[in-house]
Amino acid sequence: MTMMVRLLQLVSALSLAAVTAVSAATVELRQQGAAAADPISAELGSVLDLEVIVDSEGEEITGYVFYIAFEAGDFQPLLRTGDKGQQEPFLAREFLDGISLINEVESFGGEVFLSFGLAASGGGDQRQSANGLGVAATFSLEVLRRPV
């Protein structure tokens, strides 16, 4: 039986620093390898491999921060060992090359929060930027319980 992952919330608390002005962008959560219109679905006990898609809406961006929240006990984040030996939920992808600002898991009030932020490397007028649509990060969740 396939379940819809309803409790997975991608909160568009996305902060962007544009080269010329601060602008909004869109963020989308997709199952890896799926089309944009495909719903996210998984079997109980399976692993969801997900990607966070950022669309800069035509603006040059030099960084972003987002978080994903879900009820504790519904999913288990599968952590990776980062460059500094710390356990991290996200793997940065090709959209923007930069410096990791945050990549962590926190639990609070019965919810789990996965946070990720990246700032472009470089400085001054030489700072890298990204424009368009791309995969910002990937992460994996084990499905522990069916949402009610």
Side-chain angles (χ1 to χ4, degrees):
M1 180 172 170
T2 302
M3 80 166 189
M4 295 299 297
V5 182
R6 316 180 272 147
L7 296 177
L8 198 61
Q9 302 170 347
L10 177 60
V11 180
S12 299
L14 176 72
S15 53
L16 301 170
V19 173
T20 56
V22 174
S23 177
T26 59
V27 179
E28 181 181 344
L29 188 62
R30 278 189 211 158
Q31 206 157 358
Q32 286 182 14
D38 292 348
I40 295 174
S41 63
E43 298 289 328
L44 188 63
S46 67
V47 172
L48 277 170
D49 292 317
L50 301 165
E51 53 192 16
V52 180
I53 312 292
V54 172
D55 185 349
S56 71
E57 301 285 329
E59 297 292 327
E60 295 289 325
I61 60 173
T62 59
Y64 41 80
V65 173
F66 56 83
Y67 70 94
I68 296 166
F70 50 88
E71 282 189 36
D74 285 349
F75 305 101
Q76 173 66 43
L78 301 180
L79 304 178
R80 300 169 169 90
T81 302
D83 294 338
K84 298 177 183 174
Q86 295 179 330
Q87 294 294 296
E88 302 172 336
F90 293 98
L91 177 62
R93 302 311 284 182
E94 70 280 353
F95 184 63
L96 180 66
D97 186 31
I99 300 161
S100 177
L101 301 174
I102 188 169
N103 191 351
E104 64 185 23
V105 178
E106 294 180 286
S107 295
F108 181 76
E111 289 192 315
V112 176
F113 297 88
L114 308 180
S115 303
F116 184 75
L118 192 77
S121 52
D125 293 338
Q126 302 301 315
R127 186 173 298 260
Q128 297 176 2
S129 64
N131 188 341
L133 181 80
V135 179
T138 58
F139 67 104
S140 298
L141 299 172
E142 181 181 358
V143 181
L144 301 178
R145 170 174 75 192
R146 295 175 66 133
V148 182

